[in-house]
Amino acid sequence: MDAAPTRMSVPAGPVQRPGAARHAVPRLVAAILDRSDEREMLWTAMAAIAALGPFVPETAYTLDHGPPQRCPRPHPADPAASRPGGTSGRYGNAATAPGAGGRYGNAATAPGAAQPVAADRLDRLIGALDGHSRCLDDPGGPWIRAIALRHRDRCLGYLVVRILAAPSDQQTADADLIARETAAALAALARCRGEPSPPRAFSAVRDAGLGATVFRLAARSAFHEALARAAASGGGEQAILRTLYEHTGFAARTEDLCGHPRARAGPGGPRPEPAARDREELVRRVRSGPGAVRDRDRLTVPIAMAGELLGLLSLADPESRATDTDVSALEQTALVLAPELAHERRLAELEPRLRHDLVEKLISGTATDEVFVQAAGLGHELHRPHRVAVLRWPGTIARAAVGDAVERAAGRLGLDVLTGVRGETAVALLAGRDTGGEALYRAVSDELGTAAGAVGVGGPCEDCADLPHSYDEAVRALTVRRRSHEPHGGTGFEELGLCRMMGAGDGEREADRFVREWLGPLLDYDARHTTGLTATLSYYLESGGSYDATAEALRIHRSTVRYRLQRIREVTGHDLGDVDTRLNLHVASRIHHVLDRPR
């Protein structure tokens, strides 16, 4: 039995640029295919795996219808190691191949080398394996992994490596790829030894063109698997871009059709957005032709599904170093991103409808217990106090735009919100601290860039079953605000006072009749003679019957106030000295102050 493999405790090497090791893999795979001895193949494969990530070679085993047989590291004095193409030909001694002496140093001279792993124990662990890759139990240090060399459902051996740090998904996939290539080469060598003319048979296996083709196909398959894992990981667009970056080594980014960045992976700051004309030309070129399009310092491909262009995917390649393999990876990534972006677009279109339906159920009183689950799915908690706000911005501003502005404004005010639409108004269910109608109005006005709107806010309700009542109050507050002297602003239902009776249904009609009963003759007189007797009466009653205060407010002489009050008595027939009459006139003038705007 060979000497025990060296147990290594080696500090991590220099950080590699993602994709750098990948460019060395084709040469290493070609070297595997060049070997005619199992031991050389195995240790060349070990060097390749060490070049891929935090892997340190331990030992290798072959299986041939019996217990595993350990294959020692090739010695520099071996004839195979010194002949052209041998272990010392391209990489030198396997102990100093990339990842052995290159990255980690020779096992025998590595700094900080630990005591060897017990050979018998390692043999027993390998012998107990079932022909599949496994992590071996090795308490007290970095873990050991036996990578199975499987070909056509048969295990031909194991490559045993020590793992210094958790490898990335791409590094693991590349190591598995090397293991599969090694197993195929071992199987081919075994077939050659059983045939009459092994040199010619094996020469077909190690043909450079075939080896390169096999590698490209295998590398493409491994990258596709890595993309599939990233897409299924829940990391979304960012995880997929990260996989592309780790595979190619080029920074990757996605953009919408207007050039706004969506996600990126890799170094470099945000790219300046091109002029509109340049952007339109790039989109036209991407649409018109298959494959990647070069746009100054980057390669760009479309992200499209069912003929619909969803966005653009780019690799930063200022030195034009990208290979056909990189372009193929770019195109594969665009195909994987297309369902992701299409799903995101469908959700963006569907979510407003779901919110609208939920809000409609809540304010109409048709909600069931399912609304709590539906609201939670939209990220909103219904088990807390709410108020209903109703907003209207006339003109060209769409209701959906008002709803979006409410959501942004609510975020600034520290409110949680569900928005919907009913009729000509936007409806919002507000949860959080009470900011009042005026604060919400100002915040929404800032978002829309115009103050030509109005907001009505209903009273608070502890239970969502009371939301229809809060909605009615909000509609009443909005109606009162829009018919007042100051139609643009925000009003809470609590602020209405006597005007709570107005705003909807019979209450508003009764208020109109009350105003006509007490102020009708005076309003008609003002309309015919262009006088201001109604305003004079209102100021007089608001001042508590003070001639001086009324004169000062109207900027007229005190005697003019006395003359106008006398004229009011004559027109209306009311005695202003009667307490009940004064009260009714005062209430009517206040209601008129709200309702005197055209409907």
Side-chain angles (χ1 to χ4, degrees):
M1 185 173 290
D2 302 310
T6 303
R7 173 172 177 165
M8 304 180 68
S9 177
V10 185
V15 176
Q16 293 182 324
R17 180 177 67 87
R22 179 185 65 79
H23 293 296
V25 173
R27 298 194 299 272
L28 294 166
V29 172
I32 292 173
L33 296 175
D34 286 341
R35 305 303 182 212
S36 58
D37 176 79
E38 290 96 336
R39 184 172 60 168
E40 294 182 58
M41 287 184 179
L42 293 174
W43 282 96
T44 302
M46 294 280 263
I49 291 175
L52 296 173
F55 308 111
V56 176
E58 281 284 345
T59 189
Y61 290 85
T62 59
L63 284 174
D64 187 16
H65 306 290
Q69 299 295 316
R70 186 180 301 137
C71 291
R73 188 189 303 269
H75 193 276
D78 288 351
S82 59
R83 67 173 177 265
T87 309
S88 61
R90 179 179 289 186
Y91 301 109
N93 187 353
T96 60
R103 181 176 178 181
Y104 299 109
N106 190 299
T109 61
Q115 295 298 322
V117 175
D120 291 342
R121 179 175 179 273
L122 185 56
D123 289 342
R124 288 194 302 272
L125 292 173
I126 296 296
L129 296 179
D130 56 358
H132 295 274
S133 299
R134 293 285 186 272
C135 284
L136 306 180
D137 183 21
D138 183 30
W143 64 91
I144 296 175
R145 182 170 178 80
I147 305 174
L149 305 175
R150 297 187 61 81
H151 181 72
R152 295 183 179 177
D153 296 327
R154 181 186 170 199
C155 183
L156 304 180
Y158 296 95
L159 302 178
V160 183
V161 296
R162 185 174 297 278
I163 302 177
L164 301 180
S168 68
D169 290 343
Q170 186 62 50
Q171 291 168 334
T172 302
D174 288 343
D176 291 340
L177 170 62
I178 294 297
R180 290 196 297 271
E181 293 286 346
T182 305
L186 287 174
L189 181 58
R191 289 196 302 271
C192 291
R193 287 174 174 169
E195 295 175 2
S197 54
R200 189 176 67 179
F202 192 63
S203 65
V205 176
R206 58 191 174 92
D207 177 79
L210 176 60
T213 300
V214 169
F215 171 77
R216 283 196 298 270
L217 292 175
R220 182 177 298 180
S221 175
F223 177 62
H224 187 74
E225 291 174 4
L227 281 178
R229 287 194 297 271
S233 68
E237 192 174 345
Q238 188 64 50
I240 295 172
L241 283 185
R242 182 70 188 178
T243 301
L244 176 62
Y245 166 56
E246 290 180 349
H247 179 77
T248 63
F250 298 112
R253 66 180 273 162
T254 51
E255 303 171 350
D256 63 21
L257 297 182
C258 297
H260 303 130
R262 291 176 50 89
R264 66 175 294 114
R271 187 174 186 264
E273 295 182 10
R277 181 176 301 177
D278 294 340
R279 186 68 187 179
E280 292 173 1
E281 174 62 17
L282 174 60
V283 171
R284 186 194 64 77
R285 289 170 57 204
V286 168
R287 285 181 184 273
S288 61
V293 171
R294 176 161 288 279
D295 176 34
R296 292 176 292 179
D297 60 347
R298 60 178 182 164
L299 291 170
T300 302
V301 295
I303 305 173
M305 192 168 186
E308 182 181 10
L309 188 60
L310 304 171
L312 301 179
L313 170 65
S314 301
L315 280 183
D317 182 29
E319 300 175 6
S320 300
R321 294 186 295 106
T323 64
D324 290 344
T325 302
D326 297 320
V327 174
S328 175
L330 179 65
E331 293 170 348
Q332 283 189 67
T333 305
L335 291 176
V336 174
L337 280 170
E340 190 85 17
L341 268 62
H343 178 66
E344 181 180 314
R345 176 171 292 187
R346 285 194 297 271
L347 285 181
E349 295 171 350
L350 179 61
E351 184 170 331
R353 291 200 295 271
L354 294 176
R355 289 178 176 270
H356 167 77
D357 293 344
L358 178 59
V359 169
E360 181 61 31
K361 290 178 183 178
L362 290 168
I363 65 176
S364 64
T366 60
T368 63
D369 289 343
E370 294 179 354
V371 295
F372 295 100
V373 177
Q374 295 169 3
L378 293 171
H380 192 85
E381 173 58 58
L382 283 178
H383 292 284
R384 51 183 170 168
H386 282 76
R387 289 173 178 261
V388 178
V390 181
L391 307 93
R392 185 168 181 178
W393 254 257
T396 59
I397 298 177
R399 290 166 296 170
V402 176
D404 293 340
V406 172
E407 292 182 1
R408 296 191 298 270
R412 289 167 45 193
L413 296 173
L415 301 171
D416 290 334
V417 63
L418 271 178
T419 58
V421 171
R422 177 179 271 195
E424 297 298 320
T425 60
V427 181
L429 274 57
L430 306 172
R433 62 191 183 91
D434 180 18
T435 58
E438 190 63 27
L440 181 62
Y441 162 77
R442 288 195 300 269
V444 174
S445 297
D446 290 343
E447 294 292 339
L448 292 174
T450 172
V455 178
V457 181
C461 49
E462 298 291 331
D463 194 311
C464 68
D466 296 328
L467 286 172
H469 183 64
S470 181
Y471 171 75
D472 291 340
E473 293 176 345
V475 170
R476 198 171 304 175
L478 177 66
T479 302
V480 170
R481 163 59 73 173
R482 295 187 67 240
R483 298 187 61 190
S484 68
H485 284 295
E486 299 178 2
H488 302 146
T491 301
F493 184 74
E494 297 91 339
E495 304 171 36
L496 295 183
L498 286 172
C499 296
R500 290 187 183 189
M501 70 179 72
M502 301 178 300
D506 295 336
E508 182 176 353
R509 288 190 292 271
E510 187 61 32
D512 280 336
R513 285 195 292 267
F514 183 81
V515 171
R516 290 301 305 173
E517 178 183 347
W518 286 94
L519 296 179
L522 201 59
L523 292 171
D524 294 340
Y525 184 88
D526 281 343
R528 288 195 306 268
H529 299 89
T530 318
T531 55
L533 297 183
T534 306
T536 301
L537 176 62
S538 176
Y539 280 110
Y540 173 72
L541 296 173
E542 289 290 337
S543 67
S546 169
Y547 281 45
D548 292 335
T550 303
E552 183 178 355
L554 294 174
R555 295 183 179 180
I556 58 178
H557 196 272
R558 189 173 185 275
S559 61
T560 304
V561 174
R562 180 179 289 106
Y563 167 78
R564 288 186 180 182
L565 292 176
Q566 180 58 39
R567 191 76 185 122
I568 290 170
R569 294 185 183 94
E570 295 171 356
V571 171
T572 62
H574 296 312
D575 180 7
L576 299 184
D578 182 74
V579 176
D580 289 338
T581 299
R582 287 168 65 102
L583 174 62
N584 288 328
L585 287 172
H586 196 177
V587 170
S589 65
R590 286 220 174 165
I591 295 175
H592 171 68
H593 182 75
V594 173
L595 298 183
D596 68 342
R597 288 186 52 80
R599 296 174 184 255

